[in-house]
Amino acid sequence: MISLEKLTRKNIWNLAPYSCARNEFSGTTARVFLDANENPYGSPLNRYPDPLQLELKKKIEQVKGIPVDYTFLGNGSDEAIDLMYRCFCEPKEDNVVAIEPTYGMYKVCADINDVEYRPVLLDENYQIAADKLLAACDAHTKVIWVCSPNNPTGNDINRDEIVKLLNAFEGIVVVDEAYSDFSRLRPLRYELPRYPNLVVLNTLSKAWASAAIRLGMAFASPEIIDIFNKVKYPYNVNYLTQQQAIKVLSDPFEVDRWVQMILQERSRMLEAFSQLSICEKVYPTDANFFLAKVSDAQGIYDYLVKQGVIVRNRTRVQLCHNCLRITIGTRNENNELIGTLRQYK
Ligand code: PMP
């Protein structure tokens, strides 16, 4: 990896960050808070939340095994995706390389930040070749985006190829593991000490059943985390979210039960869907959704919408012609989908 100073945008490296009132007294026990122009009435929501979310990060350390100083928390993992550009990619000059197809926000954030986005097509099994991604890089490539299990294809990306990228690429490799709770692979976040150029994204929006509270995580070396913390909005994770996240993370066994139910339903759905007359292929999945090739994705999608059943039409995505992406729901919801599709003519 080249030095972090060389990877970081100059204005960001030299940035004197905003100093929150609540950052300044750390280490002392405070009793009287007259520093932040808050209303003294209306506790607890009258107070600004902890800007670095220490209590929540300690909880995450207990549950996910990643130390506090390796953890950044944001308003969804989308915040961390955007920060990768704002911290490391000089607009109109730098570029990023990404697998294609994948989660759409990597490209949207590149466009917003005026950074060139270089998609590299997956193979027919939706897998990567590290050499192909590396060949798309040049001296201005700051980031390689990998998503595993990948959205919308659902499959784990070959771990050996990701390791090749981590060893060979001089910039940062981001591996988005939003769906890793549904996969059998050991999460890559445990390998962080071995790879100073690795950023792993996690979220509470999927297995943790908390999409509404908006809590995303980026795990990386403390040096990278410090740069994110300099650039983020001072109070980027609100108090209600911090409290609710602590509560959800206090019952990981409930999440294990949900994941087991979803995985059982996933097997049942893959089988039932593949029996439908409209189904041409169900792709293997390691996530809580699957991709299926059907006879006429647009027609079937429109029909389902009319029946009040919403899936994701991916037919316009590269390598996904005539494909629908289907989330695993409750047993009843899944039965509704299959029953409705059996009536399609
Ligand atoms: N990464 C992937 C791969 C996703 O599919 C999604 C949501 N669809 C996200 C990140 C966004 O997660 P969050 O809700 O934490 O912003």
Side-chain angles (χ1 to χ4, degrees):
M1 180 183 174
I2 57 173
S3 75
L4 204 54
E5 181 172 357
K6 281 212 178 105
L7 269 180
T8 308
R9 293 171 69 198
K10 207 171 181 166
N11 60 315
I12 301 300
W13 188 259
N14 295 327
L15 181 72
Y18 177 72
S19 169
C20 309
R22 290 292 130 84
N23 270 346
E24 286 171 356
F25 62 87
S26 60
T28 59
T29 39
R31 285 182 306 115
V32 179
F33 294 97
L34 303 176
D35 58 338
N37 303 343
E38 298 148 334
N39 187 325
Y41 309 109
S43 176
L45 296 185
N46 60 329
R47 298 293 177 195
Y48 283 101
D50 176 359
L52 291 172
Q53 311 101 13
L54 191 59
E55 192 188 348
L56 173 52
K57 284 179 182 168
K58 285 183 180 159
K59 187 55 128 186
I60 290 170
E61 175 164 4
Q62 279 173 18
V63 176
K64 289 187 169 262
I66 305 298
V68 167
D69 55 341
Y70 281 72
T71 304
F72 164 83
L73 300 181
N75 186 339
S77 25
D78 289 342
E79 182 178 354
I81 293 169
D82 191 48
L83 276 173
M84 284 301 301
Y85 292 101
R86 296 170 66 208
C87 295
F88 300 113
C89 301
E90 197 56 41
K92 295 186 166 59
E93 191 177 305
D94 289 331
N95 66 69
V96 302
V97 166
I99 63 172
E100 176 76 14
T102 192
Y103 179 46
M105 280 302 283
Y106 315 141
K107 175 160 194 318
V108 171
C109 289
D111 290 345
I112 289 169
N113 288 284
D114 208 358
V115 169
E116 185 195 348
Y117 185 84
R118 299 182 171 184
V120 174
L121 218 52
L122 297 172
D123 67 19
E124 66 281 7
N125 298 316
Y126 294 145
Q127 280 299 340
I128 63 168
D131 292 342
K132 242 175 106 182
L133 287 160
L134 292 166
C137 299
D138 64 15
H140 286 288
T141 307
K142 295 294 189 68
V143 179
I144 297 179
W145 292 98
V146 178
C147 181
S148 181
N150 189 30
N151 177 7
T153 59
N155 59 305
D156 283 322
I157 297 297
N158 187 323
R159 180 61 57 88
D160 293 341
E161 296 299 303
I162 297 178
V163 168
K164 265 194 217 165
L165 290 176
L166 286 163
N167 286 324
F169 182 52
E170 296 278 16
I172 296 176
V173 180
V174 183
V175 182
D176 186 342
E177 293 199 319
Y179 299 100
S180 62
D181 299 275
F182 303 102
S183 161
R184 272 206 272 262
L185 280 188
R186 180 180 153 84
L188 203 54
R189 65 174 184 272
Y190 295 120
E191 309 295 328
L192 275 167
R194 292 166 68 174
Y195 303 110
N197 59 341
L198 171 63
V199 172
V200 174
L201 303 183
N202 275 197
T203 177
L204 291 194
S205 299
K206 309 298 174 186
W208 292 85
S210 301
I213 72 171
R214 312 305 301 130
L215 192 88
M217 290 149 258
F219 301 122
S221 72
E223 292 75 20
I224 292 177
I225 298 298
D226 283 349
I227 296 173
F228 285 160
N229 283 337
K230 253 172 52 161
V231 176
K232 76 179 184 69
Y233 289 161
Y235 305 103
N236 62 326
V237 179
N238 72 69
Y239 175 87
L240 297 171
T241 294
Q242 293 189 41
Q243 292 302 304
Q244 180 61 25
I246 289 168
K247 196 170 150 207
V248 169
L249 287 157
S250 299
D251 196 359
F253 297 115
E254 175 80 350
V255 174
D256 285 347
R257 274 195 299 277
W258 287 331
V259 168
Q260 285 318 311
M261 284 193 300
I262 290 166
L263 293 182
Q264 269 180 21
E265 274 297 293
R266 185 177 80 184
S267 314
R268 197 177 70 88
M269 278 297 279
L270 293 182
E271 180 58 30
F273 201 95
S274 65
Q275 306 284 327
L276 294 169
S277 60
I278 53 141
C279 177
E280 292 187 356
K281 179 171 183 174
V282 169
Y283 291 90
T285 178
D286 302 291
N288 65 332
F289 59 86
F290 66 94
L291 193 70
K293 195 179 270 301
V294 293
S295 47
D296 170 19
Q298 191 63 51
I300 294 165
Y301 174 81
D302 293 341
Y303 161 78
L304 285 172
V305 171
K306 277 204 197 103
Q307 305 299 316
V309 178
I310 313 299
V311 298
R312 196 94 152 114
N313 181 8
R314 299 283 76 188
T315 191
R316 273 181 276 283
V317 170
Q318 287 214 66
L319 301 182
C320 297
H321 183 61
N322 266 335
C323 286
L324 299 175
R325 193 194 71 192
I326 293 156
T327 307
I328 305 300
T330 62
R331 194 175 175 88
N332 281 343
E333 290 170 327
N334 300 333
N335 287 345
E336 282 244 19
L337 173 72
I338 297 292
T340 309
L341 284 174
R342 284 195 183 123
Q343 320 267 318
Y344 179 77
K345 285 186 207 59

